Amino acid sequence: MRSGEVTRAGAAPGAGAPGGARTPRRGAEPAGHRTATRVPRAPLARLLGAGRRPPDGGSTTARDLTVRRRLLLALSALLTLSLFLSYQGVHGDADPLRTAGAPALLRLDTAQYALTQAERDAGSAAPNSDFQKQISVAAQSLAAAAGEDVGGAAGQQALQTIAGLITMYAVKVQQSQLQPDGDVLRDVYRSYATDILTEPGSGIRARLTALQRQQFHVVRRQTSFGPLLRLSWTVTLLLAAALAAALVETQLFLRHRFRRRYNRHLLAAGALLLGGVAVTVLFTVWTHQGMADTRALLAGRLTGPDITDAERDTASYLAHTGFRAAATVWILIGGILLMALAGTGLRRHIDDYRFRPR
């Protein structure tokens, strides 16, 4: 072996490199030229589409502002939708209850009471004005109930049938009263009249009682505050609390990052949120209480002066429900305004700190 010749097997590990330095591997990056490590996005930022977090040492202001702005817009939109559905679920039945549901049931109670009074006067020896007056009251009450669309098409048919039976009942009673005292026909006509009025299942009273029961089911449905509505209002209040917390956190973030004490748009959005939710909740409590009082009042059988008192009390319980129901459209307007305030409150800062292309 010649001097200075090194066999392949005996080559030093650092041979061919100055100072014995290790030869870089193919594809290895030079020292000091390592690429920045990619930082994964947070779940909330990924959901809101805020982009990847900048490399270590880079500014995150624009990204943080974008996340907060999109979070405020998303919560505002969800709250508006949830509040609209929850509010409509209560107030949507309040005005129909005031204008149709409760009055129709009271009309049926009036007709039932008038027929009771007419039956008492039907036994008189001769025709009298009191009987005709009670029959007229019953007929007018049924006509008014028909105008309230009691029971839909089936209910309208039932009311027409009852009205026809009342006419037959009045005729038989009058025929009975026109017969001489002690005449067999007098008892026959009186028996026919009694059957028309009290026959189980097919008589006037039975049909009218069935309509009353059916109409009270309508009133109970209109005044119900079931599990679905309770869940809807729970979600609405939770969304309102989340949005309020997000507004406060965003205000604190701006104060810390930009040394600005207040953001007028965010403060206006917070005031609108608190005021709007407070008013809608208060309106809902008033309406629901009035509907519950109405249902309790109409649950019993009303007679005589009680019907007049119930009409007055029902009108008092359900007063202003039409005005409060009309506030539904203002929820949508307020929601749009809330989103506008929440969005514009951060737009200028986002424009100042937007990422520029390299």
Side-chain angles (χ1 to χ4, degrees):
M1 181 180 297
R2 296 181 181 179
S3 175
E5 188 176 3
V6 182
T7 61
R8 185 179 303 269
R22 185 181 301 273
T23 303
R25 291 178 296 175
R26 181 178 298 178
E29 297 179 354
H33 195 269
R34 295 180 180 178
T35 58
T37 304
R38 292 182 177 180
V39 180
R41 291 181 293 175
L44 180 59
R46 186 184 303 112
L47 179 64
L48 298 174
R52 290 189 177 277
R53 186 179 181 86
D56 293 341
S59 175
T60 63
T61 302
R63 180 178 179 276
D64 293 340
L65 290 171
T66 301
V67 169
R68 284 168 172 80
R69 179 173 180 269
R70 293 181 179 178
L71 178 62
L72 292 177
L73 292 177
L75 288 175
S76 299
L78 290 175
L79 175 60
T80 301
L81 178 61
S82 179
L83 182 58
F84 176 82
L85 295 177
S86 301
Y87 193 85
Q88 180 67 19
V90 175
H91 295 264
D93 288 327
D95 202 47
L97 174 67
R98 179 181 63 86
T99 59
L105 184 56
L106 290 173
R107 299 292 180 270
L108 296 177
D109 289 339
T110 302
Q112 190 77 271
Y113 177 72
L115 288 173
T116 301
Q117 297 300 104
E119 184 181 16
R120 183 193 61 186
D121 298 329
S124 61
N128 59 80
S129 59
D130 290 339
F131 175 80
Q132 292 298 332
K133 179 182 177 180
Q134 298 300 332
I135 291 297
S136 178
V137 169
Q140 291 175 4
S141 298
L142 292 179
E148 307 294 349
D149 194 22
V150 174
Q156 296 298 309
Q157 183 63 39
L159 285 173
Q160 293 177 7
T161 302
I162 294 173
L165 290 174
I166 289 177
T167 301
M168 293 177 57
Y169 171 72
V171 169
K172 295 302 181 183
V173 170
Q174 291 174 354
Q175 289 176 340
S176 172
Q177 292 174 340
L178 291 174
Q179 303 305 316
D181 191 16
D183 195 317
V184 176
L185 287 179
R186 183 183 182 91
D187 295 335
V188 171
Y189 286 133
R190 185 73 177 88
S191 177
Y192 285 162
T194 302
D195 290 342
I196 292 173
L197 182 64
T198 62
E199 184 71 22
S202 60
I204 296 175
R205 286 192 179 281
R207 294 174 185 270
L208 198 52
T209 300
L211 267 181
Q212 287 177 292
R213 188 179 300 112
Q214 180 181 356
Q215 185 61 25
F216 181 71
H217 287 330
V218 173
V219 170
R220 185 168 58 184
R221 177 183 56 79
Q222 291 175 330
T223 58
S224 65
F225 197 84
L228 188 60
L229 267 179
R230 296 180 187 277
L231 176 62
S232 177
W233 273 103
T234 300
V235 172
T236 297
L237 294 178
L238 289 176
L239 286 173
L243 180 57
L247 287 171
V248 171
E249 193 279 335
T250 303
Q251 176 64 59
L252 294 176
F253 171 80
L254 294 178
R255 183 176 181 179
H256 173 75
R257 186 64 59 92
F258 300 102
R259 298 295 188 269
R260 294 193 60 181
R261 189 171 185 179
Y262 299 114
N263 184 293
R264 290 177 296 177
H265 292 87
L266 295 183
L267 290 179
L272 178 61
L273 169 65
L274 295 179
V277 172
V279 169
T280 53
V281 169
L282 187 61
F283 279 6
T284 300
V285 170
W286 287 345
T287 299
H288 174 62
Q289 186 60 51
M291 295 168 74
D293 292 341
T294 299
R295 179 179 58 190
L297 179 63
L298 300 179
R301 180 66 60 84
L302 300 175
T303 59
D306 294 340
I307 298 177
T308 303
D309 294 340
E311 290 178 349
R312 183 180 61 253
D313 293 341
T314 298
S316 175
Y317 294 153
L318 301 178
H320 310 300
T321 53
F323 169 76
R324 293 196 287 265
T328 304
V329 67
W330 288 102
I331 294 177
L332 298 178
I333 297 175
I336 294 173
L337 181 59
L338 181 63
M339 294 177 66
L341 290 172
T344 55
L346 298 177
R347 184 183 299 276
R348 183 176 65 83
H349 297 295
I350 293 176
D351 291 341
D352 291 342
Y353 279 83
R354 183 175 297 164
F355 289 116
R356 294 180 174 86
R358 295 180 180 177

